[in-house]
Amino acid sequence: ELEVTDGQLISVAVSENGNLFLGGDSFLACYDESLSSKWKIKMPGKIGALSVYGDTVYAASGELLFLVDSDGRMISEWGPYEANSIITSLSAGRKYVAFADAGAKRIFILRKDGEVISMLGQGNEKFIIPSAYFDVAITDEDVVFAANTGHRRIEKWSVDGIKKSQFGEPGTAPGAFCGCCNPAHFAVIPRGFVTAEKGINRIKILGAEGEFIEFVSSKNNFIASVPLDVASADGITIYAADPAGSKLYVFKRKQTGTSQL
């Protein structure tokens, strides 16, 4: 684990080369795989969501998106896109950037120059977002996964706003999502997903169709109402950012198929 002292830790992202990016109360920081600090910069506000693609780090703060290069230099600022936006998640892919807006209850799809090309959740298939937990992930194949937290499920969408499929159900079973507003966070990994819940504060791995694989953490001292943001590049090493304790936890999956801290 890594104790973060630059401010409250809120968000985490990991690049394909293993560099970690941590965001929180007015800071953005980069660490290597051994958790040694590479750089830290001050930001205009709380960094509530992070994504990294290639040499660009995308950081969300309130209603704005900031682009930072891999050496910690500010590149650009995008937004605001909507009045009273609450950007809770963002994800960068090969061609597009997606962000989830819990205020507008929509997902915005942007080109890499910041231009909006579509919005998900405007028609009959709306997102039910009871609180400020609303996660999104976009793949290099332009597939969008979105957490419809009021329905306790993850949905699969096209970038032009057509819902393709869904999985998840309410409940306390290992494969279900308990209580309200879940999954609070998730990350796409090879052959599946890592999800984090609030209420019953647990982190687990699901397969590509949403089937339960294993718990990453189910017996812990995490505060139930404060879910942990999660990130993983390979599905083996899993990072979880705990805002309550301002700590980053690193989990490693065992070869036997179980997980440990």
Side-chain angles (χ1 to χ4, degrees):
E1 64 186 57
L2 173 69
E3 186 169 358
V4 176
T5 58
D6 303 288
Q8 182 192 26
L9 175 64
I10 300 173
S11 52
V12 59
V14 58
S15 66
E16 287 188 354
N17 64 8
N19 283 334
L20 280 171
F21 298 90
L22 305 181
D25 195 355
S26 303
F27 78 92
L28 175 62
C30 178
Y31 292 78
D32 64 18
E33 287 181 280
S34 63
L35 302 184
S36 297
S37 176
K38 298 185 73 173
W39 53 258
K40 299 173 186 177
I41 59 174
K42 291 184 178 181
M43 298 296 286
K46 289 184 178 180
I47 303 302
L50 285 172
S51 184
V52 57
Y53 195 89
D55 294 329
T56 304
V57 183
Y58 299 82
S61 180
E63 58 187 14
L64 299 174
L65 300 179
F66 297 95
L67 279 65
V68 179
D69 73 13
S70 57
D71 293 319
R73 292 184 292 261
M74 189 69 69
I75 300 172
S76 183
E77 175 185 320
W78 295 348
Y81 289 94
E82 193 88 2
N84 303 315
S85 283
I86 306 171
I87 299 176
T88 53
S89 177
L90 78 160
S91 176
R94 181 174 56 88
K95 292 169 56 179
Y96 303 111
V97 177
F99 73 81
D101 185 340
K105 296 180 173 56
R106 292 195 297 271
I107 288 173
F108 292 69
I109 308 297
L110 318 176
R111 289 194 176 93
K112 286 294 184 77
D113 61 1
E115 179 188 359
V116 177
I117 64 162
S118 66
M119 288 183 284
L120 282 53
Q122 296 187 98
N124 294 329
E125 295 286 353
K126 296 187 182 299
F127 297 107
I128 307 300
I129 309 298
S131 64
Y133 294 102
F134 186 18
D135 241 23
V136 65
I138 188 168
T139 72
D140 280 350
E141 292 72 37
D142 305 332
V143 175
V144 180
F145 293 98
N148 198 334
T149 57
H151 289 301
R152 272 85 83 197
R153 67 192 185 206
I154 292 176
E155 299 175 348
K156 180 180 179 180
W157 290 70
S158 66
V159 293
D160 54 357
I162 299 173
K163 196 178 89 168
K164 302 293 188 178
S165 61
Q166 65 189 42
F167 66 82
E169 61 183 8
T172 58
F177 298 119
C178 66
C180 165
C181 320
N182 281 312
H185 297 291
F186 75 90
V188 176
I189 59 173
R191 299 177 296 282
F193 305 84
V194 179
T195 68
E197 295 167 82
K198 63 191 290 285
I200 300 178
N201 201 331
R202 57 190 183 180
I203 303 169
K204 60 197 180 190
I205 293 173
L206 304 178
E209 304 301 322
E211 68 278 15
F212 176 76
I213 304 297
E214 63 180 337
F215 283 117
V216 176
S217 179
S218 60
K219 297 178 181 179
N220 50 57
N221 294 318
F222 301 148
I223 295 175
S225 60
V226 184
L228 282 67
D229 191 22
V230 289
S232 179
D234 56 10
I236 298 171
T237 303
I238 296 157
Y239 302 94
D242 183 8
S246 200
K247 286 184 179 180
L248 177 76
Y249 293 94
V250 184
F251 299 87
K252 194 84 168 181
R253 295 180 72 182
K254 294 180 181 178
Q255 292 184 349
T256 55
T258 59
S259 299
Q260 65 175 356
L261 177 60

